[in-house]
C-alpha cells in the first residue's frame, strides 16, 4: 500500500531485467561449522530478492566447476532452489575458476545490469590457475559487479582473499571508505535471513547508494525551492525511480557501469484527495552531514513541511454527488483512489425516522444507487466506505421542500413556445432556460427626408408667389364665384 502511495519506486522493481550469477563454494571445508547449511540458505534467500523477469545462473565449484543452472528467468526460483539444496560437497577449491566460469556465461548476454554473488569461505588453492581478484577486476571492467558473502563462524583464515575480491569487484572499490561494503559475514545460522533481506538486499537490488552525491535542481520555480540558491551534496540515498505522473524537484546522478541515470531525491504527486512527497536521503546522520547547519538546506526542509500541509482537511477518501429530479434521488460516491475490493454502503434516513440500508453498485469508476422519494422533509445520507478493514464514514443532509407535481416546469408542452416565437429565437427543453439575442432578427432602416423637403419647398414657393401677385379684391372675388358656382 505504501508503494502505491509514494511518487517513486524503490530498488530495481521497475527497471529492465537484470542478470545475476550465484557462485557457490561446495568444497569440503564448507562442511565445517554448518557453513554449507548457511551457504544454501543464503543462496535460496537471494533468489527471493529477484524479480520474476530477472535472469540468474548458478555455478558451483570445488575441485571441479559445475554449471548447476544455465541462465534462466528467476520465476523458476523453486526449481533452482532445489538444485542448490541438492548440491553435494567434494574435494578441492578452484575459487577463481568458478568465478571465471560465471563470467564466461554472463559477459556476452545483452543485459545492462549484471552482478555476481560469491558465497565462499575463501579457502581456495594457493596455486589455482585463475586469480579470483583478477577475475573480479576483469568483470568490473565489463560492467559486472561482485558481492561476497562469507559463511564463516570463527575461522579467520582466508578472510583477506574474500575482502580483496569484494574490493576488486565493487564500483566504489577504489574509495577506502567504501572498499569492503559489498563484503558480508554471516555470524550464525539464525542471522542468514536477516542479513540477506536487510544488508545484502540493499546491495543486491541497488536500493541503497553510498557515496558523494551532488544534488541537482530540476524544478527551480517549484514552491519548495523558494528562498534557496543552492543545496549541498549528500553522502548517500535510497535508489528509486520517479513514477510517470510525479513532479521531481531534486535529483542526483547514479553512476552505473552500463550508463548514468538520474535518481530522484525529492519528488511529490497528488494521491487521491491529498499529496504525497518523498525525500530519498536522510535528514540526519552521515548522509546529511553537509546539510547540518546549512541555511539553504534548512530552508528547503521548512518549505517541504509548508508545501505539503493541505489547505483544507479532507475527512474521507471519496466525494459524494446527490441529484434530485422531483421523484428520484440519485446518489453517486466516487473514491479518490479506486480499490476494486472496497465496498460502499449507504444508510438513508427518511423524514419519518425510518432507515433504508443499501449496498451501492460499482461501475468501474464510482458507486451509485437510485432512491424513490415520496415524503417531504429532511433526509440524511450516511455513507460507509470500507477497504482492507478500514472504514470511512460521512453524513450528508438533503431536503425535499415540495412535491414533484408542484414544479410546473418539470413537464410542459413546448409547442406553444415554438409557435409564439416562430423563427425568431430558440427554445431550451433539456436544460436551464437561456435568453439569447438573435442577431438575424435585428434590422436597420434608413429614412431620407430630402424629397419631402424639396416638394414642401416648391409648394411653399408657389403659394408665396400667388399671395404676392393677387390683390385682396381678387381673393374675395375668387371665393364669391366659387360659392355661386356651388349654389
Amino acid at each position: 500500500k505504501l508503494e502505491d502511495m509514494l511518487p517513486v519506486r524503490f530498488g530495481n522493481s521497475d527497471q529492465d531485467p537484470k542478470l545475476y550469477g550465484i557462485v557457490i563454494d561446495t568444497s569440503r571445508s564448507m562442511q565445517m561449522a554448518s557453513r554449507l547449511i548457511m551457504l544454501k540458505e543464503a543462496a535460496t534467500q537471494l533468489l527471493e530478492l529477484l524479480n520474476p523477469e530477472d535472469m540468474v545462473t548458478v555455478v558451483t565449484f570445488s575441485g571441479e566447476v559445475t554449471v548447476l543452472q544455465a541462465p534462466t528467468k528467476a520465476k523458476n526460483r523453486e526449481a533452482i532452489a532445489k538444485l542448490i539444496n541438492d548440491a553435494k560437497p567434494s574435494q578441492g577449491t578452484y575459487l577463481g575458476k568458478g568465478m571465471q566460469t560465471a563470467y564466461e556465461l554472463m559477459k556476452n548476454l545483452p543485459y545492462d545490469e549484471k552482478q555476481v554473488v560469491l558465497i565462499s569461505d575463501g579457502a581456495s588453492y594457493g596455486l589455482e590457475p585463475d586469480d579470483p581478484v583478477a577475475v573480479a577486476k576483469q568483470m568490473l571492467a565489463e560492467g559486472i559487479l561482485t558481492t561476497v558473502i562469507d559463511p564463516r563462524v570463527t575461522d579467520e583464515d582466508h578472510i583477506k582473499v574474500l575482502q580483496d575480491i569484494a574490493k576488486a569487484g565493487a564500483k566504489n572499490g577504489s574509495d577506502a571508505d567504501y572498499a569492503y561494503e559489498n563484503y558480508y559475514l554471516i555470524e550464525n545460522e539464525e542471522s542468514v535471513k536477516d542479513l540477506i533481506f536487510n544488508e545484502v538486499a540493499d546491495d543486491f537490488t541497488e536500493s541503497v547508494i553510498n557515496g558523494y552525491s551532488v544534488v541537482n535542481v530540476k524544478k527551480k520555480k517549484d514552491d519548495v525551492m523558494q528562498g534557496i540558491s543552492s543545496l549541498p551534496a549528500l553522502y548517500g540515498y535510497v535508489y528509486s525511480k520517479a513514477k510517470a505522473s510525479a513532479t521531481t524537484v531534486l535529483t542526483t546522478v547514479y553512476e552505473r557501469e552500463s550508463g548514468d541515470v538520474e535518481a530522484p531525491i525529492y519528488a511529490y504527486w497528488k494521491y487521491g484527495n491529498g499529496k504525497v512527497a518523498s525525500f530519498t536521503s536522510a535528514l540526519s546522520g552521515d548522509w546529511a552531514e553537509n546539510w547540518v547547519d546549512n541555511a539553504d538546506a534548512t530552508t528547503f526542509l521548512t518549505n517541504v513541511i509548508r508545501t505539503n500541509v493541505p489547505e483544507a482537511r479532507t475527512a474521507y477518501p471519496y466525494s459524494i454527488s446527490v441529484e434530485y429530479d422531483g421523484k428520484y434521488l440519485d446518489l453517486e460516491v466516487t473514491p479518490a483512489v479506486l480499490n476494486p475490493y472496497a465496498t460502499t454502503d449507504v444508510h438513508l434516513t427518511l423524514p419519518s425516522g425510518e432507515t433504508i440500508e443499501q449496498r451501492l453498485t460499482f461501475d468501474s469508476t464510482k458507486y451509485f444507487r437510485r432512491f424513490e422519494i415520496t415524503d417531504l422533509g429532511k433526509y440524511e445520507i450516511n455513507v460507509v466506505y470500507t477497504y482492507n478493514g478500514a472504514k470511512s464514514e460521512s453524513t450528508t443532509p438533503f431536503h425535499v421542500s415540495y412535491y414533484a407535481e408542484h414544479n410546473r416546469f418539470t413537464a410542459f408542452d413546448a409547442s406553444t413556445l415554438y409557435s409564439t416565437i416562430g423563427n425568431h429565437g430558440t427554445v431550451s427543453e433539456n436544460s436551464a432556460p437561456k435568453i439569447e439575442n438573435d442577431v438575424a432578427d435585428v434590422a436597420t432602416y434608413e429614412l431620407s427626408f430630402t424629397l419631402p423637403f424639396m416638394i414642401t419647398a416648391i409648394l411653399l414657393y408657389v403659394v408665396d408667389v400667388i399671395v404676392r401677385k393677387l390683390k385682396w379684391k381678387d381673393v374675395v372675388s375668387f371665393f364669391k364665384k366659387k360659392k355661386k358656382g356651388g349654389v
Side-chain angles (χ1 to χ4, degrees), residues 387-402:
Y387 174 65
N388 201 24
K391 286 186 177 181
S392 297
E393 188 172 348
S394 63
T395 300
T396 302
F398 180 76
H399 294 268
V400 176
S401 304
Y402 56 85

Side-chain angles (χ1 to χ4, degrees), residues 262-434:
E262 275 194 324
I265 295 296
Y266 179 76
Y268 65 86
W269 71 346
K270 290 183 178 180
Y271 184 83
N273 292 334
K275 177 181 176 183
V276 179
S278 174
F279 183 71
T280 61
S281 187
L283 302 180
S284 61
D286 294 339
W287 281 5
E289 179 182 332
N290 289 344
W291 286 50
V292 178
D293 299 327
N294 181 279
D296 281 341
T298 301
T299 301
F300 172 78
L301 296 176
T302 302
N303 289 347
V304 168
I305 298 174
R306 176 180 59 81
T307 57
N308 283 283
V309 174
E311 296 179 0
R313 181 176 181 270
T314 302
Y316 38 86
Y318 53 83
S319 58
I320 298 175
S321 172
V322 180
E323 291 188 1
Y324 176 61
D325 64 1
K327 184 177 181 181
Y328 295 102
L329 182 149
D330 290 315
L331 172 65
E332 291 185 356
V333 176
T334 304
V337 178
L338 290 177
N339 296 307
Y341 301 107
T343 59
T344 304
D345 298 295
V346 63
H347 303 267
L348 179 64
T349 303
L350 308 180
S352 63
E354 180 186 355
T355 300
I356 300 174
E357 297 183 8
Q358 293 282 349
R359 173 153 291 183
L360 273 60
T361 303
F362 183 62
D363 72 347
S364 78
T365 59
K366 62 183 179 299
Y367 299 84
F368 68 93
R369 177 68 66 180
R370 167 170 282 197
F371 298 91
E372 185 175 1
I373 300 300
T374 58
D375 300 325
L376 299 181
K378 179 183 178 182
Y379 291 77
E380 282 195 352
I381 305 170
N382 180 253
V383 174
V384 180
Y385 180 77
T386 306
Y387 174 65
N388 201 24
K391 286 186 177 181
S392 297
E393 188 172 348
S394 63
T395 300
T396 302
F398 180 76
H399 294 268
V400 176
S401 304
Y402 56 85
Y403 290 111
E405 59 265 26
H406 295 158
N407 188 348
R408 303 303 298 173
F409 293 97
T410 59
F412 64 92
D413 185 359
S415 61
T416 304
L417 292 178
Y418 280 110
S419 62
T420 301
I421 66 171
N423 296 322
H424 302 291
T426 59
V427 176
S428 176
E429 296 185 56
N430 298 319
S431 59
K434 182 170 61 176

